[in-house]
């Protein structure tokens, strides 16, 4: 049975994915809570803070969300990215997006593919949780000197 929360969550997630595809960090960030968000990426702790991967860090504000997408775009070759969304699962305010990203690293020229699961939580029409679980080894190898 589909609930109003399911419908709202699905609409926000689909709009978020559309905006990410267009690549405007400020437009993407409008869908995130202004403050108090819970943003995590599943990377080994010793990988956090690496200068070549500055987007891999915890965040909590709308401005942080915009910065994430700016930092990510700055380190990849424009026009050489693709994302395949395989499934969106929705349960009330929570959604899980399953898929695969393909990118080319600007600094190394290496291409990579990484499977991912993105867990989002939507409250009052805004994303308040953004947890990414991805193939961090594939990404790290592509960025390695």
């Amino acid at each position: 049975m589909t609930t109003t929360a399911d419908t709202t969550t699905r609409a926000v997630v689909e709009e978020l994915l559309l905006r990410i595809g267009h690549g405007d960090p400020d437009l993407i960030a409008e869908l995130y809570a202004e403050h108090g968000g819970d943003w995590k990426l599943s990377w080994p702790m010793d990988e956090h803070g690496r200068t070549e991967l500055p987007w891999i860090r915890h965040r909590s504000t709308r401005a942080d969300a915009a910065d994430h997408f700016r930092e990510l775009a700055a380190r990849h070759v424009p026009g050489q990215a693709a994302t395949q969304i395989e499934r969106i699962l929705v349960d009330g305010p929570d959604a899980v997006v399953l898929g695969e990203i393909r990118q080319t690293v600007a600094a190394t020229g290496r291409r990579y593919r990484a499977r991912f699961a993105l867990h989002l939580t939507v409250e009052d029409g805004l994303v308040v949780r953004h947890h990414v679980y991805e193939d961090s080894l594939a990404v790290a190898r592509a960025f390695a000197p």
Side-chain angles (χ1 to χ4, degrees):
M1 177 168 88
T2 302
T3 67
T4 302
D6 290 347
T7 302
T8 300
T9 299
R10 182 170 292 281
V12 171
V13 169
E14 288 176 352
E15 179 63 21
L16 176 66
L17 295 173
L18 182 66
R19 291 182 186 195
I20 290 170
H22 286 252
D24 180 336
D26 293 317
L27 192 61
I28 296 166
E30 288 176 358
L31 290 175
Y32 287 85
E34 184 68 39
H35 299 286
D38 179 15
W39 184 302
K40 294 180 184 172
L41 288 92
S42 65
W43 276 70
M45 290 308 291
D46 62 346
E47 296 295 315
H48 285 277
R50 291 176 52 172
T51 57
E52 66 269 20
L53 306 171
W55 68 90
I56 307 291
R57 62 183 177 87
H58 298 305
R59 298 169 188 270
S60 63
T61 68
R62 182 176 292 158
D64 285 342
D67 287 343
H68 168 83
F69 290 102
R70 278 190 199 92
E71 291 168 354
L72 187 61
R75 283 157 179 85
H76 291 90
V77 177
Q80 293 188 20
T83 301
Q84 179 181 351
I85 303 299
E86 297 167 359
R87 188 166 322 272
I88 301 172
L89 308 168
V90 177
D91 183 15
D94 291 299
V96 175
V97 180
L98 302 173
E100 181 181 76
I101 57 171
R102 295 179 204 106
Q103 292 273 19
T104 302
V105 177
T108 66
R110 291 189 195 107
R111 293 177 185 229
Y112 67 90
R113 297 168 73 131
R115 307 228 11 101
F116 73 88
L118 171 61
H119 177 195
L120 300 166
T121 301
V122 175
E123 291 179 2
D124 298 322
L126 296 171
V127 176
V128 296
R129 175 185 295 138
H130 178 118
H131 288 188
V132 178
Y133 307 91
E134 68 181 350
D135 181 356
S136 57
L137 182 58
V139 179
R141 284 180 174 161
F143 277 88

